[in-house]
């Protein structure tokens, strides 16, 4: 992993107790680090098995023989691809394990080979993921992939490659993840679409049962806002935009005003069920939704499914609380409206609005919503 010019930058941050920020970065431009670098790649490899798996698949050939000192899970995936290449039929269980590993790590060379055998993988994947594997463009340059996702940071700043003909981007897309740290699609897969926009991307992760609206990790809301703004400024970003899915959609809207986000794309954002129990073991208090009434609603577009019970309940909750943002609709019967928009060919138009201010066709509420089973 050399760091020559023309490669993307990768910066990860952990928000530790007592507002201590731990940082690791790999960047050809080498901007000054926000904090002293406290870890190195080798220590991260020892600590995070998911990083070991990614590097095994990313950095070594995919031939089935390339197993020396490799991870057994990666070796099994290579074996499945080798069987398919020789028109042998792996077991359904082997296909499921290989498919899950390939999609969750998002290594471009793996996805491209899986795509060649998309029909074989389809029965072992959910219908939506099978469609995504078949239709996606998995040709993102190797060093633009989400190399450090396996480190489970609290924030991951990705900066686009620079070329002599391309000036450094001043725009930053702040992406708030779901509770399980995806964007509906596994984060490395969603990244293949967002990275082609040529702007910086800050992925904001969640930890366990923490409500992101109260702050990230061990930090409170004000400290979180201050840190995100500080990181953005240190790396030269002046224009911030927000995107989030599910719990992350709620967080993107919640942070919009404090971060000065110019526009926000909210995919099925909801706060979820309260998770903190009261001291006497009773029900936690209802969430404070006053922030909904204080948002600049004209800067937010909400994307919902016409045909999903979860999204219909979100719409009703928004209307009851006066959260009358502009609405866009996908047709797939799924709460995963980011992936649905991607598969339905709507995502590019949404991102054009978010990052460039291009107008969207207004889509009024359907006359009759007939929700299917939620996802």
């Amino acid at each position: 992993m050399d760091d020559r010019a023309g490669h993307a930058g990768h910066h990860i941050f952990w928000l530790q107790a007592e507002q201590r920020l731990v940082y690791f970065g790999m960047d050809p431009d080498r901007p000054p680090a926000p904090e002293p670098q406290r870890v190195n790649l080798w220590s991260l490899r020892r600590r995070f098995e998911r990083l070991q798996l990614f590097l095994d698949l990313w950095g070594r050939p995919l031939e089935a023989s390339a197993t020396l000192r490799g991870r057994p899970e990666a070796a099994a995936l290579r074996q499945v691809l080798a069987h398919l290449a020789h028109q042998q039929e792996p077991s359904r269980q082997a296909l499921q394990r290989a498919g899950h590993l390939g999609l969750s790590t998002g290594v471009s060379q793996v996805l491209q080979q899986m795509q060649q055998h998309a029909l074989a993988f389809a029965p072992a994947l959910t219908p939506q993921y099978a469609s995504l594997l078949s239709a996606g463009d998995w040709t993102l340059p190797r060093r633009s992939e989400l190399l450090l996702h396996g480190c489970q940071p609290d924030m991951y700043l990705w900066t686009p490659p620079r070329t002599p003909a391309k000036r450094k981007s001043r725009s930053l897309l702040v992406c708030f993840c779901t509770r399980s740290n995806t964007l509906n699609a596994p984060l490395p897969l969603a990244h293949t679409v967002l990275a082609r926009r040529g702007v910086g991307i800050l992925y904001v992760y969640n930890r366990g049962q923490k409500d992101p609206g109260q702050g990230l990790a061990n930090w409170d809301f004000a400290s979180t806002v201050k840190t995100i703004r500080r990181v953005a400024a240190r790396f030269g970003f002046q224009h911030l935009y927000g995107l989030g899915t599910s719990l992350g959609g709620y967080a993107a809207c919640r942070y919009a005003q404090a971060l000065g986000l110019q526009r926000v794309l909210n995919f099925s954002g909801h706060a979820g069920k309260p998770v903190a129990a009261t001291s006497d073991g009773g029900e936690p208090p209802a969430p404070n939704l006053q922030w909904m009434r204080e948002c600049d609603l004209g800067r937010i577009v909400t994307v919902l499914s016409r045909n999903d019970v979860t999204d219909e309940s979100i719409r009703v909750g928004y209307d009851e609380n006066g959260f009358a943002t502009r609405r866009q609709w996908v047709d797939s019967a799924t709460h995963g409206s980011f992936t649905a928009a991607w598969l339905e060919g709507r995502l590019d138009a949404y991102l054009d609005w978010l990052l460039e201010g291009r107008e969207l066709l207004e889509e009024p509420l359907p006359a009759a919503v007939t929700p299917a089973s939620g996802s």
Side-chain angles (χ1 to χ4, degrees):
M1 289 192 185
D2 58 327
D3 54 356
R4 297 168 292 181
H7 295 156
H10 303 265
H11 307 268
I12 52 179
F13 306 84
W14 292 270
L15 281 60
Q16 303 294 347
E18 299 179 356
Q19 297 192 12
R20 188 170 68 97
L21 193 67
V22 178
Y23 163 80
F24 172 76
M26 299 163 48
D27 195 326
D29 293 329
R30 295 193 180 280
E35 295 288 340
Q37 188 159 318
R38 302 176 184 275
V39 292
N40 58 49
L41 185 60
W42 305 110
S43 65
L44 293 175
R45 286 184 62 177
R46 289 193 297 269
R47 180 178 175 186
F48 296 107
E49 291 187 5
R50 297 298 295 182
L51 179 62
Q52 295 174 31
L53 268 171
F54 176 89
L55 293 176
D56 189 317
L57 295 169
W58 183 88
R60 301 171 63 239
L62 287 183
E63 287 78 11
S65 59
T67 59
L68 183 63
R69 295 186 300 277
R71 298 281 305 186
E73 304 95 323
L77 187 151
R78 289 185 174 91
Q79 194 67 52
V80 166
L81 293 176
H83 284 163
L84 292 171
H86 289 88
Q87 298 183 336
Q88 300 171 5
E89 186 175 350
S91 69
R92 183 183 180 88
Q93 186 179 51
L95 283 167
Q96 286 177 329
R97 289 176 178 172
H100 177 267
L101 179 59
L103 292 176
S104 63
T105 52
V107 175
S108 178
Q109 64 172 345
V110 173
L111 293 173
Q112 290 178 62
Q113 286 205 23
M114 288 176 60
Q115 191 174 55
Q116 294 175 20
H117 306 287
L119 288 177
F121 277 104
L125 302 173
T126 66
Q128 194 174 54
Y129 279 11
S131 297
L132 201 57
L133 175 62
S134 179
D137 179 356
W138 312 123
T139 59
L140 194 68
R142 280 166 51 80
R143 293 177 186 275
S144 288
E145 297 175 39
L146 215 55
L147 304 182
L148 301 176
H149 175 59
C151 295
Q152 304 168 31
D154 293 310
M155 300 190 300
Y156 188 142
L157 175 64
W158 179 92
T159 56
R162 289 181 63 187
T163 66
K166 186 175 182 180
R167 290 173 24 175
K168 186 175 181 180
S169 174
R170 300 296 180 187
S171 296
L172 179 67
L173 177 58
V174 184
C175 292
F176 293 87
C177 298
T178 66
R179 191 176 298 282
S180 56
N181 291 320
T182 72
L183 287 179
N184 295 147
L187 195 58
L189 269 60
H191 175 74
T192 65
V193 175
L194 301 177
R196 290 185 168 93
R197 286 285 162 161
V199 302
I201 307 173
L202 179 67
Y203 294 105
V204 180
Y205 292 64
N206 288 295
R207 283 202 208 176
Q209 300 298 301
K210 180 69 183 280
D211 176 357
Q214 303 300 317
L216 301 181
N218 303 297
W219 296 21
D220 61 21
F221 182 83
S223 299
T224 298
V225 169
K226 180 179 179 182
T227 298
I228 292 176
R229 293 177 66 92
R230 177 185 172 200
V231 168
R234 181 64 66 94
F235 286 86
F237 295 107
Q238 299 174 347
H239 312 292
L240 275 59
Y241 306 85
L243 181 153
T245 62
S246 192
L247 180 67
Y250 148 73
C253 297
R254 179 73 175 84
Y255 281 88
Q257 194 157 319
L259 288 176
L261 302 179
Q262 297 193 16
R263 285 180 289 275
V264 173
L265 193 53
N266 165 28
F267 288 96
S268 304
H270 75 110
K273 296 179 180 179
V275 294
T278 59
S279 58
D280 60 1
E283 286 295 318
N288 180 4
L289 300 179
Q290 181 62 33
W291 64 271
M292 281 188 169
R293 304 173 183 90
E294 298 171 350
C295 280
D296 183 349
L297 300 180
R299 297 191 181 194
I300 301 173
V301 164
T302 296
V303 181
L304 297 166
S305 169
R306 301 174 188 269
N307 300 302
D308 177 70
V309 289
T310 299
D311 278 25
E312 172 62 3
S313 68
I314 291 170
R315 182 197 66 79
V316 170
Y318 282 1
D319 291 348
E320 289 176 349
N321 287 281
F323 198 57
T325 70
R326 296 170 62 186
R327 308 278 170 85
Q328 293 284 310
W329 304 91
V330 296
D331 297 315
S332 302
T334 172
H335 174 58
S337 56
F338 178 95
T339 305
W342 186 358
L343 291 172
E344 292 179 18
R346 303 171 188 260
L347 185 57
D348 281 340
Y350 297 157
L351 294 174
D352 286 344
W353 170 82
L354 176 65
L355 298 172
E356 302 172 25
R358 296 186 188 179
E359 280 304 312
L360 287 168
L361 293 176
E362 292 296 331
E363 296 189 14
L365 175 68
V369 177
T370 55
S373 59
S375 62

